[in-house]
Amino acid sequence: MDLWQYEKEAAAAGYQTVCGCDEAGAGPLAGPVYAAAVILPPGVEILGLNDSKKLTEKRRKALFPVIQERAAAWSVAFVDAEEIDRTDILSARIRAMQLAIDGLAVRPDFALIDGNRDCGQSAAINACHRCIVKGDSLSASIAAASVLAKVSRDAFMEEMDLRYPEYAFARHKGYGTALHYERLREYGPCPIHRRTFLKRL
């Protein structure tokens, strides 16, 4: 599989500056949803680049600065738990991705978006774009964005572990593990929990 296929198709259609965009953290019970947008120079080689979910944490962290260094532009954005509760997770995911695109120092004229959704009740991707299911394993620029988003979110949750050590956020990153539910039942939710996600308590 050519990881540059979709970037090449966009270039063939006349788009000169293509970014990949992905989000991380749609499912957890706590913390923001993060998104990243990355513009890679055509054909740049980043060894080991793949969907962040298929990489070890150590490999993701090693790739993070390499992607930043080799990208023509990159941006990371997030939508916090309060806004997720106030709107909905789909809208929050879409808004985070558009914020990441808007944050790029180089303005893209086309965006490759991971997934099959480009709008929610209160947000939409307004950049010219194409949605790609499993794009994080099919497109180099989406894969790069998936790594930046995942590593950035994990780093935030590790910071929150220092602030709220009773929840063990560094271990589960806010996902609904047995340990997380156990701590929630013991301590109740903290300010970064998504209240609309806490159905099992």
Side-chain angles (χ1 to χ4, degrees), residues 6-126:
Y6 291 101
E7 286 83 355
K8 288 173 183 173
E9 288 177 9
Y15 297 107
Q16 295 184 335
T17 309
V18 179
C19 77
C21 194
D22 196 9
E23 49 78 17
L29 310 178
V33 59
Y34 268 73
V38 178
I39 299 171
L40 293 177
V44 67
E45 190 171 350
I46 300 176
L47 287 174
L49 184 61
N50 203 334
D51 168 10
S52 66
K53 294 185 289 296
K54 296 177 181 175
L55 301 171
T56 64
E57 183 176 8
K58 183 179 179 182
R59 186 71 191 130
R60 286 194 298 267
K61 286 183 175 178
L63 279 171
F64 189 86
V66 178
I67 292 166
Q68 290 177 312
E69 179 188 321
R70 300 200 182 159
W74 62 271
S75 169
V76 174
F78 67 88
V79 169
D80 64 21
E82 184 183 357
E83 184 171 337
I84 292 169
D85 283 340
R86 194 171 66 248
T87 57
D88 61 89
I89 187 58
L90 175 60
S91 295
R93 285 172 52 208
I94 301 297
R95 181 163 141 71
M97 287 195 280
Q98 185 61 53
L99 285 170
I101 294 168
D102 291 343
L104 288 165
V106 177
R107 190 80 189 149
D109 52 10
F110 195 72
L112 300 173
I113 306 293
D114 183 61
N116 62 355
R117 307 295 290 273
D118 59 2
C119 65
Q121 287 189 324
S122 62
I125 300 294
N126 55 43

